[in-house]
Amino acid sequence: MTSEDAAEKILVLDFGGQYDQLIARRVRDQHVYAEIKDYRRITAKEIKNSGYAGIIFTGGPASVYAPGSPSFDPTIFDLGIPILGICYGVQLMAYLSGATVASAEEGEYGSTEVTVTPNALFAGVPETSRCFMSHKDRIVSLPVGFEVIAHTDSCPIAALANDEKKLYGVQFHPEVEHTEYGGKILNNFLYGICGCTSRWQMDDFISESVAKYSEELRGRKVLLALSGGVDSSVTAALLSRAVGSGLNMVFVDHGMMRKDEGDYVESVFKDHYGAHFIRVNAADRFLGKLKGVTDPEKKRKIIGEEFIRVFEEEALKLGRIDVLAQGTIYPDVVESGKGGADTIKSHHNVGGLPENIAFGSIVEPLRDLFKDEVRKVGSMLGLPDELVRRQPFPGPGLAVRVSGEITEDKLKILKEADAIFRQEVDKAGVDYPDQYFAVLTDTKSVGVKGDSRAYGATVALRAVSTDDFMTAEWTRLPYEVLAAASRRIADEIPEVTRVVYDITSKPPATVEWE
Ligand code: XMP
């Protein structure tokens, strides 16, 4: 079954939240097809005629009572289609139904204990569990016809229901992995309340993509920006099924790769793709452009633009190429600020694209997927486990792990520190964090090296555990691993006098420092 002829579809009505695609993806996880629509691009009448089995109102950064904030035609509540409101979505549902929503004295952020009362939405959910909260406003009064079905210590209305009209809402985020029973709650909504029965599968994504791109790119030459990471490698495998030898891969070594990374990527891909793999050594060029630049967003934009320029030049050399393929995945899109969502940072392959790009078109086949979905697609396409399981490495590379200006000397220190940390984690064979690396901070500190005073650099170590990189917990690495890494880094790198461990989760931090 394809997405087109799915018997049941869920509409995710997008009010600009950071987790909107994550909601769609969690629905797909439950084997029900979900599509996202901007709240400004669809009417209640169109929704009625589209035959949706259910609707999910997403979160969003605005306050429902602020002038001009995202809203919707309240007749949507009379269509007889079950609705689940999440965060801003439940506030909007309550507000449009006559309740008061106001700023709370204190917001609720992160993992919170929630107590639920029996309701179809919470079937099989224990009376108390952990949920993920991220809100400043709260519902103060209950709209007519609704009852409260959950509360937390500081949020008396953490969920509400109008069983008769099949309207439900939760202040917390069931789509986020830190909500213990989030999957169960969505499952209850989809199957118990909306009555879905579909069995939509991930394989559908591969066959649909191959069919789409073999048609769309027929007879055209495609240039793929290959970083050697999971996303661009899976893009390569997917597109090579669609366009075969029309695919050319360009790997740009910008000098800010991990230690020995450039050679590793070359050894893996050269074998497989031969002449269709091109390595461009461009370290001097990138470092020249970054000279004197300290602002993280500027660094990202410069690197993004320079990447494109290099690709354009390579394309010219190859001749007749007019399509650029990129391994962009959904968190890159959302964190670069789409729709009403706030910009967190410009991932180089989205926000950093220059306006006057010289390719006829850009294809990003993985644009709607999350990292773990991309890995699944990679395995289904037959990529080796080692490659599919690689920890992610950002496009701008070590540039976003060096605070302040990037210099060759700083990069050298960071490459060494990072290699040591990764070796120690790998050696320990611990339950691997999903990403682990070193950062060179711009804080200097006093130390003792040999018998003398030293005033040197501070290296921060970062390890996070996550499924989707939208949220992440800092990994509780064993002290022995941290101790071994710290000792070796300070001993083996003369410029380093201090090593610290980053114990911030996302949010409020991001995974990368810049
Ligand atoms: P943040 O720092 O945004 O990172 O919490 C989430 C995940 O995205 C990776 N990341 C990037 N990947 N281009 C990329 O391809 C980028 O500009 C970029 N910035 C961050 C980061 O390593 C983490 O896995």
Side-chain angles (χ1 to χ4, degrees):
M1 177 172 42
T2 71
S3 53
E4 292 308 316
D5 61 13
E8 295 129 1
K9 274 190 296 190
I10 294 293
L11 169 66
V12 177
L13 201 54
D14 181 356
F15 292 106
Q18 287 288 332
Y19 304 120
D20 299 355
Q21 179 68 22
L22 189 51
I23 298 172
R25 175 265 146 79
R26 293 291 181 230
V27 174
R28 296 198 293 261
D29 277 352
Q30 306 270 354
H31 305 297
V32 175
Y33 184 71
E35 61 188 22
I36 303 183
K37 292 256 154 90
D38 188 309
Y39 73 98
R40 290 161 294 200
R41 305 240 158 78
I42 192 163
T43 63
K45 198 166 160 213
E46 284 164 345
I47 291 174
K48 186 178 174 197
N49 295 335
S50 300
Y52 289 109
I55 303 166
I56 299 180
F57 282 14
T58 75
S63 287
V64 289
Y65 49 81
S69 59
S71 191
F72 207 77
D73 177 353
T75 60
I76 191 171
F77 301 125
D78 300 320
L79 299 179
I81 304 174
I83 303 178
L84 174 66
I86 295 175
C87 196
Y88 182 88
V90 66
Q91 292 172 5
L92 185 66
M93 178 187 279
Y95 187 71
L96 293 175
S97 308
T100 307
V101 176
S103 175
E105 269 165 33
E106 264 182 49
E108 262 184 321
Y109 300 97
S111 177
T112 309
E113 185 175 277
V114 63
T115 304
V116 304
T117 54
N119 182 273
L121 191 63
F122 296 139
V125 176
E127 192 180 349
T128 57
S129 62
R130 305 303 296 179
C131 72
F132 182 84
M133 284 287 196
S134 181
H135 68 114
K136 179 82 179 86
D137 286 346
R138 70 173 191 213
I139 302 166
V140 180
S141 68
L142 206 55
V144 176
F146 283 79
E147 60 171 327
V148 180
I149 54 168
H151 67 270
T152 69
D153 275 353
S154 57
C155 183
I157 306 181
L160 44 70
N162 179 335
D163 290 317
E164 202 189 318
K165 293 178 97 173
K166 297 202 171 176
L167 304 179
Y168 300 85
V170 286
Q171 184 57 69
F172 53 87
H173 289 267
E175 73 278 21
V176 166
E177 60 186 278
H178 302 301
T179 295
E180 266 181 287
Y181 289 88
K184 180 75 187 129
I185 293 168
L186 285 176
N187 186 284
N188 288 338
F189 178 69
L190 298 170
Y191 291 97
I193 295 168
C194 301
C196 292
T197 53
S198 273
R199 305 310 300 168
W200 186 82
Q201 299 290 348
M202 221 29 214
D203 311 22
D204 297 334
F205 172 82
I206 297 178
S207 51
E208 283 170 23
S209 300
V210 170
K212 175 178 167 198
Y213 291 113
S214 49
E215 175 69 30
E216 206 174 299
L217 304 176
R218 192 189 306 273
R220 298 166 83 185
K221 269 199 184 171
V222 182
L223 183 62
L224 172 74
L226 182 78
S227 69
V230 181
D231 306 341
S232 55
S233 302
V234 174
T235 306
L238 189 62
L239 286 183
S240 75
R241 276 208 186 174
V243 295
S245 62
L247 185 65
N248 294 276
M249 288 152 217
V250 175
F251 165 59
V252 179
D253 188 342
H254 52 28
M256 294 169 285
M257 311 296 290
R258 287 174 288 213
K259 192 179 175 190
D260 302 330
E261 179 84 358
D263 296 342
Y264 171 75
V265 173
E266 180 165 350
S267 70
V268 173
F269 285 89
K270 193 86 191 164
D271 271 3
H272 216 95
Y273 297 100
H276 291 284
F277 171 87
I278 298 155
R279 175 175 177 175
V280 187
N281 291 314
D284 292 347
R285 178 172 176 166
F286 277 82
L287 288 181
K289 290 270 175 188
L290 289 164
K291 206 169 166 48
V293 180
T294 56
D295 178 69
E297 275 297 288
K298 268 201 197 129
K299 286 185 195 173
R300 285 174 172 274
K301 298 254 158 156
I302 290 171
I303 294 169
E305 164 132 18
E306 212 48 29
F307 257 112
I308 297 292
R309 297 293 162 243
V310 174
F311 288 128
E312 284 172 347
E313 290 167 19
E314 291 306 313
L316 270 183
K317 285 185 211 159
L318 289 161
R320 254 190 3 97
I321 287 191
D322 66 347
V323 181
L324 175 69
Q326 296 197 119
T328 310
I329 67 168
Y330 193 73
D332 305 335
V333 178
V334 74
E335 304 219 335
S336 294
K338 50 114 219 164
D342 274 358
T343 298
I344 308 294
K345 57 177 76 165
S346 301
H347 282 202
H348 82 77
N349 40 8
V350 182
L353 284 183
E355 305 273 304
N356 55 338
I357 206 161
F359 291 94
S361 49
I362 294 180
V363 294
E364 297 174 320
L366 309 179
R367 201 181 162 83
D368 286 334
L369 303 189
F370 283 87
K371 191 63 122 197
D372 52 327
E373 289 181 307
V374 172
R375 290 192 211 277
K376 229 182 266 171
V377 170
S379 297
M380 285 173 170
L381 286 168
L383 286 176
D385 257 19
E386 187 207 353
L387 191 67
V388 167
R389 282 187 212 284
R390 288 192 91 190
Q391 62 161 312
F393 185 66
L398 301 182
V400 292
R401 296 177 182 172
V402 170
S403 305
E405 187 185 1
I406 298 155
T407 63
E408 262 182 77
D409 289 345
K410 285 183 178 179
L411 285 172
K412 197 164 155 257
I413 297 170
L414 180 55
K415 282 182 190 182
E416 286 306 320
D418 182 67
I420 292 172
F421 181 43
R422 285 186 292 120
Q423 277 162 18
E424 290 303 322
V425 173
D426 296 349
K427 201 166 75 188
V430 291
D431 193 8
Y432 285 109
D434 294 294
Q435 203 169 3
Y436 45 110
F437 54 86
V439 174
L440 184 63
T441 75
D442 52 5
T443 299
K444 295 194 99 187
S445 77
V446 174
V448 190
K449 289 240 162 168
D451 284 333
S452 339
R453 176 186 191 276
Y455 187 53
T458 304
V459 165
L461 304 179
R462 178 99 169 116
V464 294
S465 302
T466 174
D467 266 352
D468 51 42
F469 294 90
M470 295 294 284
T471 60
E473 272 290 313
W474 63 275
T475 308
R476 274 57 167 177
L477 280 180
Y479 282 168
E480 310 81 69
V481 176
L482 292 170
S486 160
R487 198 176 317 111
R488 277 192 59 199
I489 290 170
D491 281 356
E492 294 174 28
I493 310 175
E495 295 87 346
V496 178
T497 47
R498 202 164 294 256
V499 179
V500 298
Y501 189 48
D502 182 347
I503 54 165
T504 333
S505 292
K506 172 184 180 176
T510 51
V511 174
E512 302 291 346
W513 273 40
E514 295 200 338

